[in-house]
Amino acid sequence: MTTQVTDHRGGVWSIAVPIPDNPLGHTLVHLLETDRGPVLIDTGWDDPDSWDTLVAGVAACGFDLADLHGVLVTHHHPDHHGLSAKVREASGAWIAMHAADAAVVRRTREAEPGRWLDYLLAKLTAAGAPEDHLTPLREARAGGRGRRLPGRRAALPDRGIEPGELLDLPGRRLRAIWTPGHTPGHVCLHLEERHPVLEPARPAAAEAGAAGPGAGRGAGGGTAGGRGRLFSGDHLLPGITPHIGLYEDPDEREATDPLGDYLDSLERIGRLAPAEVLPAHQHAFTDAEGRVGELIAHHEERLSGLRALLREPRTPWQLAVAMEWNRPWDRIPYGSRNIAVSEAEAHLRRLVKLGHAERVPGSDPATYRAV
């Protein structure tokens, strides 16, 4: 087993924790040194090889697992939250997450067997999925095989992460930024400290008042000049557009707008203009503002393209089939088609909210057209 660990300087490390059978390859779990001990940002997928890699990675950063003080989870997806229970069991560390995603974790753990299959069946039927796609789900339900969601063994968080909160991490200035879109409770974490490499050191006189806890890690001086570093989770990635689909909530009473949430969150991060972004996948990068602009333009172009497709009334399923993906529709795996339909529906909701599309009155399954 080869453990890939990167020292980002200033008491910040990343550990590449593998995701089994996934083209993303790995999750970058970040370790942040504090005066109470190291804190992890995310944990990685619940898998034996992933666990061994995480343990070896923490050791390569110079710590034992028992030294861990806490875990900050950017969002509830299993490649981020999956190993949290094992980390807490091995170290006693607290687990913190935004309330909206903590509710998803609780709902998943408490759901009756088969509830998620029922939800998925109802959602896909309403979206116009064909019978050959629905049949395997119906057979699984009839056979009593409840949908086993990955991540069910992940920990229930014991702390919340409040938007705008300066987290209680002695010696560090780490502020939570709520960035919904990819999930309802996704958070980015802004390290409000001088970048130890990208920002020039201040004159000695200015440094005199910066001594104290964490100063040796480049902590003093606030955000002037470099605007610090951003742990961006899946919100902002250098070469990937994160999935924006409907939030999974069987009890949803009001139509949410995940794509609108995501675009608003992107603009907030663009205005923040951190000196460097440390994402959960791929690699660290600079020019957050430029990447934000690319992602906003991508979604604007996609919305325009979907509006053109809706000159012919289509169900969400038909729209997903007509959309451009990274491979032809007939080569998209069964489970990934469900994700694609969810993304089509998120874009539809945005178009409806903007007044660019509407549901055809009386249509069943729901059919939409451009306005």
Side-chain angles (χ1 to χ4, degrees):
M1 178 184 67
T2 301
T3 304
Q4 181 182 338
V5 173
T6 302
D7 182 357
H8 295 279
R9 308 282 295 276
V12 176
W13 305 74
S14 64
I15 305 165
V17 177
I19 312 172
D21 302 319
N22 189 295
L24 281 174
H26 58 260
T27 300
L28 292 173
V29 172
H30 290 93
L31 182 147
L32 177 67
E33 299 177 36
T34 83
D35 288 350
R36 284 187 190 152
V39 168
L40 293 184
I41 298 173
D42 293 331
T43 61
W45 191 277
D46 184 7
D47 175 81
D49 288 342
S50 303
W51 172 250
D52 290 345
T53 301
L54 179 64
V55 172
V58 170
C61 296
F63 299 96
D64 293 326
L65 211 64
D67 296 330
L68 293 176
H69 173 54
V71 177
L72 297 163
V73 182
T74 61
H75 62 296
H76 72 82
H77 286 165
D79 56 324
H80 297 258
H81 183 40
L83 285 170
S84 55
K86 293 195 70 170
V87 168
R88 183 161 65 190
E89 181 181 355
S91 66
W94 46 259
I95 311 292
M97 181 185 287
H98 187 280
D101 272 21
V104 176
V105 175
R106 189 171 296 107
R107 195 162 57 234
T108 302
R109 289 168 64 103
E110 296 174 356
E112 293 294 328
R115 186 184 185 202
W116 287 98
L117 268 178
D118 290 339
Y119 168 62
L120 186 59
L121 270 166
K123 198 166 84 165
L124 288 168
T125 300
E131 189 59 33
D132 64 350
H133 189 84
L134 298 173
T135 295
L137 294 173
R138 289 201 177 106
E139 292 174 348
R141 188 67 182 97
R145 301 193 300 275
R147 185 181 177 208
R148 295 186 61 193
L149 294 176
R152 290 183 71 96
R153 293 192 300 178
L156 278 172
D158 41 53
R159 293 190 183 189
I161 297 178
E162 296 294 328
E165 173 187 15
L166 191 63
L167 300 170
D168 181 21
L169 302 177
R172 310 309 303 232
R173 287 188 58 86
L174 189 68
R175 192 175 302 277
I177 305 173
W178 183 34
T179 51
H182 185 56
T183 69
H186 191 289
V187 293
C188 293
L189 301 163
H190 184 208
L191 191 59
E192 297 179 341
E193 301 172 5
R194 277 193 331 278
H195 195 295
V197 177
L198 297 182
E199 184 180 359
R202 295 182 304 165
E207 290 287 352
R217 290 189 294 268
T223 62
R227 300 293 296 172
R229 290 183 274 185
L230 185 77
F231 300 99
S232 66
D234 282 0
H235 183 68
L236 192 62
L237 303 170
I240 300 172
T241 303
H243 167 66
I244 308 298
L246 299 187
Y247 298 142
E248 290 191 353
D249 184 358
D251 300 321
E252 181 181 276
R253 295 292 178 265
E254 298 181 7
T256 55
D257 180 18
L259 182 55
D261 293 344
Y262 180 65
L263 294 173
D264 289 345
S265 301
L266 274 180
E267 290 180 353
R268 288 200 302 276
I269 294 302
R271 290 192 295 270
L272 183 66
E276 186 177 32
V277 179
L278 302 173
H281 302 289
Q282 299 188 298
H283 55 82
F285 64 99
T286 57
D287 191 18
E289 292 172 282
R291 183 60 181 147
V292 164
E294 291 173 356
L295 288 168
I296 290 174
H298 164 78
H299 284 288
E300 288 176 347
E301 182 179 348
R302 186 147 219 189
L303 286 169
S304 178
L306 298 191
R307 192 178 180 190
L309 287 173
L310 290 173
R311 291 171 188 157
E312 172 190 333
R314 301 176 193 262
T315 65
W317 181 276
Q318 290 168 336
L319 187 62
V321 171
M323 290 168 68
E324 290 188 13
W325 304 101
N326 60 1
R327 69 191 87 176
W329 182 260
D330 61 6
R331 290 173 51 200
I332 295 177
Y334 179 90
S336 297
R337 292 186 181 189
N338 298 336
I339 296 172
V341 173
S342 181
E343 187 153 331
E345 289 187 289
H347 282 76
L348 267 174
R349 286 194 182 180
R350 187 65 186 154
L351 287 171
V352 170
K353 187 169 184 178
L354 293 172
H356 296 326
E358 65 180 6
R359 181 172 176 171
V360 176
S363 59
D364 184 22
T367 304
Y368 293 83
R369 63 190 177 195
V371 176

